[in-house]
């Protein structure tokens, strides 16, 4: 009985409940608005429904790939604030290398393939740099180091692009990036954006890695206690380095989608602040920033919750885009406060119970 | 004999972690001076003036870092306090400059008090609390009861408040004196008062401190409040200096505040850090900031690029130099 | 019985009022919703633009919503546009952060039958129906140059403090300034320095101005074609004790510059009127939804208070509508604009 209850109280269950509550509230508000419109003799707008939500989800998923990479880093108790900047750098490298190749006479398709590869490689390189610095300069903490590399990467973006917007919107090959973001598959009458499949696919890989392989166990072991992990034979530095590289690569993948979403353009100041979205999503997903615990299912749920919440608050309650961030901030704090409060309460109850049993035996 | 000499040099460097930093600063100055003769002579007052806001916040950040925490909401708090105080002055509730400073400190302090309480009693990790707080502060500013869609401009401020902070006394703008005052007060507080020493004690070993009768939770909240107060204060100083505030005016400022502390040899793990180091760190950043546009006139993009590289390099160089000192120190002890 | 009577009376009243309201409903904008998207929330300039929409809404009876992203990002604008599309707007009036970045989502909106206008900052031609701009770049550039030259008595050294090195609008204006300067006889006794850039950042603008003043002690005037730069440059001139010696002109907000204009640091500064920009955009949007106006080269539209509004072909291959009205803020006029611009 007790076990069942504690299983029910898992973080993911709470997220599902939160999602349902949000949905019901929004649906009710939407119906209310529609009723008011009809009463005024106007057509109902039906602002919020499943197909609209699904259709508009893409723009709230641009950072979801970063979030998967960030989950690895937070799981180890590290943090990477440079993901937004490394994504922009990857996109910039993709843009300028493509332009250089085309000017050098390379065929369109080949140049594009090389540019995409360059994008992913740049992401990996950014991750590699973070990883090396983090493992070599432990006294500085990942937070400080990635704060520094963020400035560094962003500096490169400005060096490469200046204030220019690289445009590829007329280019057929770059249209592939646009379809990556804009494309949709019709399933059962619903238009499902392909970005959702990409995300779920990656999430599945990350789920398998984190929760079904030794790699995942190693990762959480490092997050739980780095020294203990080291003494139990895990090559902590090498493993951590690899995780940072993967995180950088996921940032580059986010960049591909972002470029698609921005009508195939690249700018040096793109994706500013994305690291914060990624961290927020992962923390709401149940990853502790202290490391050692978390579940990818939670991350998937929290990506959806953030999307639904932002969309609902924006369209149904007329919240300004900036005000939505207030809600995001609140959710972030409450999400990390709640487990602690719950733990406190359950501890108190346990202590009381023991007290009672002790009294009874006396 | 030789060994002994090495030993003392190592321990000297360990005792004074800011020495390598001074070396970096001097190297930079010499480098720039070679390129532009007489550069520092003509710009030192500008550099001093430009480092003030960063330095005031860094002084508060020092307290937070000392207890092993971190605050990335300082820039947002700066904007919030400047915005609220600016609105109060625009609408005629406040006309005294002194009251403005008090209000600024109050707003910053209160904001961080919530922060500190969440951190201490809710055990939420500092990065998350301050991240959430940053979101909220930035979202509050454009709300109708604060700035709305407007901004505070020179026309909204009182005659005295507009210009007092850049007025020069003995050739030095008042803002430098104010900054020196804040730095001195916090520095002396940390070094010579019981409460100040407790901050160090809590940071290096909170259990030990608790056993010695230090009210650990209270001290931690206090450190957060000091940090918020300095951020609020620098918000008012910024408003007085630039006579304008809008949302996002200080975006990214927290990076440079933390960088100043880290450059100054403050340990991010808590328990170690000196005000002198922070001052030199802030000076170094201001020097980089002022030197780059002179070296690459007009190329603002280059400035961002080199600023990032230089700060990162300076942080890493500082750590490497410290490590070398440490190694020497250990070697000396072995013999 | 009394109750019954009261109810009957109440119903009659409601009906009368609604009938009256119905009779008054001849407004052309009734039932139309406009979604106004601007570059950034919390920006006073767009506040004024929204005022223009409000003024038009009072006259035409349409509804409108307005928002901008917190961080002036492209994806933030996309988010808002998609939200507005879901809410069933008939017109989108967009001031784009990135002309090319919004093309796809705007195309999608156009496919849904939404009229897409860009105002103040364009969306690229494929994504828009019509771009509405205050004045042609040439008019904007030359007006500033002429005003400053007059302040300096047509002699001496002048400079430019711009926004970012690659800011497209500013560079276009500066291009026209430089062209006019080189080709017009009346500027023969003057020197024009290369532009410096303050990146639309108060501190940076202040610092580059200081550097420029230090390097050119004989400077007579500065053109500042950016609203952020104006007050920063003026403040710097004031702090350096050069008020009156170095003149400023440029595109600025009146509220920012009123004091400096009164102090004689600037004789006149300019800005188009975002209120008018919003006002005209709203009229165009409503007319297009009602089918009274079609965006095509040479098409004209009647807007109260404006004359000769005509659609022309723009340099980027799309359609554009110029208001060609530039406000001058001088010692006499500036006070009436405080708080509005």
């Amino acid at each position: 009985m007790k076990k069942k209850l504690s299983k029910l109280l898992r973080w993911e269950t709470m997220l599902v409940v939160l999602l349902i509550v949000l949905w019901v509230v929004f649906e009710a508000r939407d119906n209310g608005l529609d009723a008011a419109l009809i009463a005024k003799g106007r057509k109902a707008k039906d602002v919020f429904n499943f197909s609209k939500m699904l259709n508009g989800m893409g723009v709230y998923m641009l950072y979801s790939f970063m979030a998967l990479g960030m989950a690895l880093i937070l799981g180890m108790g590290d943090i990477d604030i440079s993901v937004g900047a490394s994504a922009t750098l990857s996109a910039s490298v993709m843009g300028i290398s493509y332009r250089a190749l085309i000017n050098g006479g390379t065929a369109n398709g080949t140049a594009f393939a090389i540019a995409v590869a360059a994008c992913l490689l740049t992401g990996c390189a950014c991750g590699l740099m973070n990883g090396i610095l983090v493992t070599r300069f432990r006294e500085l903490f990942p937070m400080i180091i990635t704060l520094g590399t963020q400035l560094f990467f962003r500096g490169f973006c400005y060096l490469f692009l200046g204030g220019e917007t690289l445009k590829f919107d007329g280019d057929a090959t770059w249209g592939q990036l646009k379809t990556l973001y804009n494309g949709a598959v019709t399933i059962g009458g619903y238009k499902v954006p392909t970005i959702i499949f990409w995300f779920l696919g990656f999430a599945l890989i990350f789920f398998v890695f984190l929760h079904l392989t030794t790699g995942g166990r190693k990762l959480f072991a490092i997050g739980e206690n780095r020294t203990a992990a080291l003494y139990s034979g895990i090559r902590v530095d090498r493993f951590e380095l690899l995780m940072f590289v993967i995180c950088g690569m996921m940032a580059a993948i986010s960049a591909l989608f972002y470029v698609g979403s921005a009508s195939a353009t690249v700018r040096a100041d793109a994706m500013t602040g994305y690291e914060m979205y990624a961290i927020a999503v992962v923390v709401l997903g149940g990853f502790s920033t202290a490391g050692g615990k978390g579940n990818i299912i939670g991350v998937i749920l929290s990506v959806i919750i953030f999307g639904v919440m932002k969309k609902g608050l924006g369209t149904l309650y007329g919240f300004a885009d900036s005000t939505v961030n207030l809600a995001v901030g609140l959710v972030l704090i409450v999400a990390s406060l709640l487990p602690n409060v719950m733990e406190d309460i359950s501890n108190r109850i346990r202590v009381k119970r023991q007290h009672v049993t002790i009294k009874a035996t006396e | 004999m030789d060994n002994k000499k090495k030993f003392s040099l190592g321990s000297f460097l360990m005792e004074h972690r800011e020495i390598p930093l001074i070396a970096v600063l001097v190297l930079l100055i010499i480098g720039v001076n070679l390129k532009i003769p007489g550069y520092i002579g003509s710009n030192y007052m500008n550099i001093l003036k430009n480092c003030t806001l960063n330095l005031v916040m860094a002084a508060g950040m020092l307290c937070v870092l000392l207890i092993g925490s971190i605050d990335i909401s300082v820039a947002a708090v700066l904007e919030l306090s400047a915005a609220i105080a600016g609105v109060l002055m625009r609408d005629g509730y406040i006309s005294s400059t002194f009251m403005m400073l008090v209000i600024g400190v109050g707003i910053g302090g209160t904001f961080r008090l919530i922060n500190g309480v969440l951190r201490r009693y809710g055990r939420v990790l500092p990065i998350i609390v301050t991240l959430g707080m940053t979101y909220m502060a930035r979202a509050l500013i454009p709300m109708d009861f604060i700035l709305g869609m407007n901004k505070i401009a020179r026309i909204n401020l009182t005659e005295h408040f507009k210009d007092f902070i850049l007025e020069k006394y003995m050739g030095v703008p008042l803002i430098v004196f104010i900054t020196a005052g804040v730095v001195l007060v916090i520095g002396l507080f940390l070094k010579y008062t019981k409460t100040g020493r407790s901050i160090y004690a809590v940071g290096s070993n909170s259990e030990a401190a608790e056993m010695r009768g230090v009210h650990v939770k209270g001290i931690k909240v206090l450190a957060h409040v000091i940090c918020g107060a300095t951020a609020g204060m620098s918000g008012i100083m910024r408003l007085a200096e630039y006579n304008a505030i809008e949302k996002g005016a200080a975006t990214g400022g927290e990076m440079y505040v933390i960088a100043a502390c880290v450059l100054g040899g403050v340990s991010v793990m808590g328990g170690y850090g000196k005000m002198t180091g922070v001052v030199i760190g802030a000076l170094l950043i201001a020097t980089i900031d002022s030197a780059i546009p002179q070296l690459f006139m007009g190329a603002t993009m280059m400035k961002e690029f080199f600023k990032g590289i230089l700060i990162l390099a300076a942080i890493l160089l500082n750590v490497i130099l410290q490590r070398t000192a440490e190694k020497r120190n250990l070697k000396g002890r072995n013999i | 019985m009394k109750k019954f009577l009261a109810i009957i009376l109440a119903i009659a009243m409601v009906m009368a009022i609604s009938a009256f309201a119905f009779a008054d409903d001849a407004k052309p904008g009734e039932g139309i919703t406009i979604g106004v998207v601007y570059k950034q929330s919390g920006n006073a300039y767009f506040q004024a633009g929204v005022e223009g929409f409000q003024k038009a809404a009072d006259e035409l009876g349409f509804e409108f919503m307005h928002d901008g992203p917190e961080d002036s990002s492209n994806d933030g604008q996309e988010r808002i546009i998609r939200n507005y599309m879901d809410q069933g707007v008939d017109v989108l009036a967009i001031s784009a952060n990135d002309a090319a970045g919004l093309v796809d989502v705007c195309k999608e909106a156009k496919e849904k039958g939404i009229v897409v206008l860009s105002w103040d900052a364009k969306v690229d031609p494929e994504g828009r129906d019509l771009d509405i701009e205050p004045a042609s770049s040439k008019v904007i550039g030359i007006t500033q140059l002429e005003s400053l030259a007059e302040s300096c008595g047509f002699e001496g050294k002048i400079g430019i403090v711009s926004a970012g090195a690659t800011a497209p609008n500013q560079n276009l204006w500066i291009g026209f300034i430089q062209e006019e300067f080189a080709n017009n006889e009346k500027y023969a006794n003057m020197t024009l320095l290369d532009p410096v850039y303050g990146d639309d950042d108060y501190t940076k603008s202040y610092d580059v101005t200081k550097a420029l003043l230090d390097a050119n002690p004989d400077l007579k005037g500065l053109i500042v074609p950016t609203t952020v730069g104006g007050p920063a440059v003026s403040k710097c001139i004031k702090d350096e004790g050069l008020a009156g010696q170095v003149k400023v002109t440029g595109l600025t907000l009146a509220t920012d510059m009123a004091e400096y204009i009164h102090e004689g640091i600037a004789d006149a500064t300019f800005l188009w009127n975002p209120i008018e920009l919003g006002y005209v955009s709203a009229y165009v949007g409503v007319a297009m939804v009602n089918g009274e106006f079609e965006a095509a080269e040479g098409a004209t539209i009647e807007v109260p208070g404006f004359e000769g509004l005509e659609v022309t072909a723009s340099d980027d291959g799309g359609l554009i509508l110029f208001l060609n009205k530039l406000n001058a803020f001088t010692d006499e006029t500036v006070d009436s604009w405080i708080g509005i611009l």
Side-chain angles (χ1 to χ4, degrees), chain A residues 136 139 150 276 289 336 340, chain B residues 122-125 131 255 323:
Chain A
R136 289 293 140 81
E139 61 262 67
Q150 181 201 29
M276 298 305 171
T289 31
S336 43
N340 294 338
Chain B
R123 302 197 310 281
V124 188
L125 278 168
L131 189 60
M255 309 278 177
R323 277 196 193 162

Side-chain angles (χ1 to χ4, degrees), chain C residues 2-340:
Chain C
K2 248 185 191 169
K3 234 182 199 170
F4 180 69
L5 207 73
I7 289 170
I8 294 276
L9 267 175
I11 289 173
M13 247 168 82
V14 168
M15 277 172 76
I17 289 171
S18 50
F20 178 71
F22 194 70
D24 197 41
D25 254 357
K27 286 181 173 176
E30 198 67 38
I32 293 177
T33 316
I34 299 183
V36 181
V37 184
Y38 36 79
K39 287 182 182 179
Q40 187 193 26
S41 65
N43 185 327
Y45 175 82
F46 294 112
Q47 166 83 33
V50 167
E51 248 171 65
F53 279 98
Q54 184 61 56
K55 203 174 130 200
D58 292 343
E59 292 169 15
L60 297 177
F62 63 86
E63 283 174 24
F64 76 104
M65 305 175 276
H66 61 95
D67 196 6
E70 187 180 34
D71 46 4
S72 32
S73 64
N74 189 61
D75 54 307
Q77 288 197 312
E78 187 189 333
R79 238 171 12 236
I80 294 166
I81 291 173
R82 283 190 192 281
N83 281 351
Y84 284 169
M85 278 158 68
D86 282 352
Q87 290 175 68
V89 295
D90 306 290
V91 181
L92 279 166
I94 303 164
S95 171
N97 280 316
D98 186 352
L102 288 175
V103 166
D104 281 346
V105 64
C106 287
K107 268 189 197 163
E108 222 177 298
K110 269 166 76 176
E111 277 162 23
K112 283 193 169 174
I114 298 174
V115 172
V116 181
L117 303 173
S118 57
W119 60 289
D120 173 67
K122 69 168 187 181
V123 172
D124 274 349
E126 311 93 86
R128 69 169 195 242
D129 289 310
L130 183 64
D131 184 28
I132 296 161
E133 296 294 337
S136 62
S137 303
K138 194 167 179 179
V139 172
I140 293 175
I142 292 174
T143 312
Q144 296 178 66
L145 177 62
E146 232 168 26
S147 161
L148 186 67
E150 224 162 83
S151 299
C152 305
F154 289 95
E155 56 183 17
K157 211 190 244 183
I158 59 172
I160 299 171
V161 180
S162 179
T166 50
N169 285 344
Q170 272 79 5
N171 283 352
L172 210 54
W173 301 328
I174 291 171
F176 280 113
I177 291 175
Q178 285 165 340
E179 192 190 310
E180 175 77 6
F181 190 86
N183 297 335
N184 199 323
E185 280 291 305
K186 61 181 176 183
Y187 305 117
N189 293 330
M190 302 176 74
T191 338
L192 180 62
L193 299 173
D194 283 341
V196 294
Y197 302 98
D199 277 353
D200 258 353
D201 177 281
Y202 192 98
T203 325
K204 275 184 199 161
S205 307
Y206 188 100
D207 291 345
V208 293
T209 311
K210 173 120 190 357
L212 193 68
L213 290 172
D214 287 348
N216 301 287
D218 52 343
L219 200 70
K220 290 290 267 238
L222 284 169
I223 298 174
V224 194
T226 144
T227 51
V228 182
V233 170
S234 309
K235 182 91 194 314
C236 181
I237 289 173
K238 188 178 176 181
D239 290 347
E240 296 295 306
L242 294 170
Q245 293 173 43
V246 182
K247 292 282 186 185
V248 175
T249 191
L251 301 173
T252 69
L253 292 171
T255 315
D256 288 345
M257 286 296 288
E259 190 176 332
Y260 302 116
I261 292 174
H262 290 316
E263 281 169 8
I265 292 173
D267 286 340
T269 63
F270 302 89
L271 195 68
W272 48 86
N273 189 337
I275 301 178
E276 289 175 350
L277 209 52
Y279 184 71
V280 172
S281 305
Y283 264 85
V284 171
V286 169
M288 280 175 82
V289 172
N290 289 340
E292 296 156 2
F293 168 75
E294 206 167 318
E297 216 177 318
T300 56
I301 181 167
E302 296 281 321
V303 178
F306 290 84
E307 275 170 21
L309 290 180
E310 188 183 339
V311 177
T312 51
S314 122
D315 310 332
D316 60 7
L319 295 169
I320 197 163
L321 182 74
F322 282 123
L323 272 56
N324 271 334
K325 250 183 155 183
L326 221 49
N327 271 351
F329 305 130
T330 61
D331 200 20
E332 291 95 49
T333 61
V334 69
D335 281 339
S336 61
W337 285 100
I338 288 176
I340 301 170

Side-chain angles (χ1 to χ4, degrees), chain A residues 26 60 63 277 305-315 324-325 328, chain C residues 79 83:
Chain A
F26 287 161
Y60 304 103
Y63 45 80
Y277 293 133
I305 288 175
F306 266 109
V308 169
M309 194 172 74
K310 285 181 175 178
K311 184 116 193 162
L313 290 178
T315 53
V324 173
N325 273 348
V328 174
Chain C
R79 238 171 12 236
N83 281 351

Side-chain angles (χ1 to χ4, degrees), chain B residues 77-90:
Chain B
V77 171
L78 178 156
E79 288 168 23
L80 184 68
S81 82
I84 295 179
V87 167
L88 288 175
M89 181 169 261
R90 181 191 67 190

